Amino acid sequence: DKSDKILRGHDHARAFLAESLQHMETAGAEAAPEGDMRDDMEKLWAVYLGKEDNPDQAAGIKYGIHELDECTGGVRPGELVLVAGFTGEGKSHLVASLAWNAMRNGKNVVMFTTETTREEMEVRILARHSRLPKFKCPGGIDSHEILSGTLSQEHKRIFRETIEDFKALDAGNLIMVQMPANGSVDYVHAKANQYNRSTQVDLIVIDSINLLRASRRYE
């Protein structure tokens, strides 16, 4: 509609556009599925039979922690999982294990981190990798000792072997993204789409709930 509103600068223009789009009555090309549940019954039956015939495809992406995988079945396509807990209780270690296990099983993962650096998260994933039986290191290498440069000679040797083994993995991709200070869910969405254009992204891991905020506040 015609109005007297004058837009000054990109930020003002984007805010005006975003607000205006919210009031559009037409649904986008990717509108959420909706309809009478009874119309979905035969589809649900067919989906179940497909899972029964292909159990590997029915399984979710596992965390790599037996008790948790047994309880949840892993992360299934389309699911949003929120890991909550107090500071220092292992949330980042848990999602690092999830990303590591998914990549090892051929899944393509994009991981975003803010509360820890990209290097620290990579070290945690290598520490998780060092727990594999082949390295004969029960409990794995301590990631804090890697970061502080205080590994024993034996653990230093195992760390080197872990790196070589990790480099040679015939597995999926694990893209580690260090978020900028003003990063938001919009940035996550754009980056995930960027990687998805070249290789299908199977799992997105966000190590900080702060990334789930929008770039600006909307009604």
Side-chain angles (χ1 to χ4, degrees):
D1 296 333
K2 292 181 180 180
S3 73
D4 298 332
K5 189 180 291 284
I6 296 175
L7 305 180
R8 299 186 184 279
H10 291 290
D11 287 343
H12 195 183
R14 289 194 187 98
F16 175 77
L17 178 61
E19 183 179 353
S20 300
L21 288 173
Q22 290 186 64
H23 300 298
M24 292 181 65
E25 295 180 354
T26 56
E30 297 181 278
E34 58 185 55
D36 192 322
M37 181 175 165
R38 287 168 294 189
D39 295 336
D40 294 334
M41 295 301 99
E42 292 305 320
K43 177 184 175 183
L44 291 175
W45 176 247
V47 168
Y48 168 77
L49 293 177
K51 290 177 179 178
E52 195 174 55
D53 293 337
N54 301 281
D56 291 341
Q57 296 180 15
I61 297 174
K62 299 295 193 292
Y63 291 89
I65 301 170
H66 175 72
E67 294 81 1
L68 186 59
D69 290 328
E70 194 173 60
C71 179
T72 65
V75 182
R76 294 181 174 84
E79 286 188 337
L80 171 66
V81 177
L82 176 65
V83 180
F86 290 109
T87 300
E89 288 199 335
K91 299 183 298 296
S92 293
H93 285 285
L94 174 60
V95 296
S97 178
L98 171 62
W100 167 81
N101 200 53
M103 182 270 293
R104 283 183 64 233
N105 286 283
K107 304 297 184 182
N108 296 315
V109 183
V110 181
M111 188 168 192
F112 297 86
T113 179
T114 53
E115 294 184 343
T116 54
T117 65
R118 184 170 182 265
E119 176 190 4
E120 185 175 353
M121 188 56 73
E122 289 175 340
V123 163
R124 288 181 178 182
I125 288 172
L126 284 172
R128 177 64 183 86
H129 193 68
S130 72
R131 292 171 58 186
L132 290 174
K134 67 172 76 176
F135 300 113
K136 299 179 181 178
C137 182
I141 302 171
D142 190 327
S143 61
H144 297 294
E145 291 182 1
I146 298 174
L147 290 167
S148 61
T150 57
L151 289 173
S152 66
Q153 285 301 311
E154 176 64 11
H155 279 186
K156 182 179 177 181
R157 178 188 62 79
I158 294 172
F159 182 40
R160 186 65 232 179
E161 289 180 1
T162 301
I163 288 174
E164 293 302 324
D165 187 74
F166 193 89
K167 285 163 55 180
L169 282 177
D170 182 14
N173 298 321
L174 177 46
I175 307 297
M176 192 71 66
V177 180
Q178 177 74 56
M179 290 289 293
N182 61 346
S184 67
V185 70
D186 300 331
Y187 184 90
V188 171
H189 187 261
K191 272 290 179 185
N193 278 338
Q194 174 188 328
Y195 287 112
N196 199 54
R197 282 193 288 270
S198 57
T199 307
Q200 175 182 315
V201 174
D202 300 299
L203 176 70
I204 296 174
V205 179
I206 303 175
D207 183 33
S208 173
I209 197 170
N210 293 329
L211 300 187
L212 293 178
R213 69 182 188 277
S215 58
R216 59 179 66 251
R217 191 177 297 278
Y218 301 121
E219 292 180 3

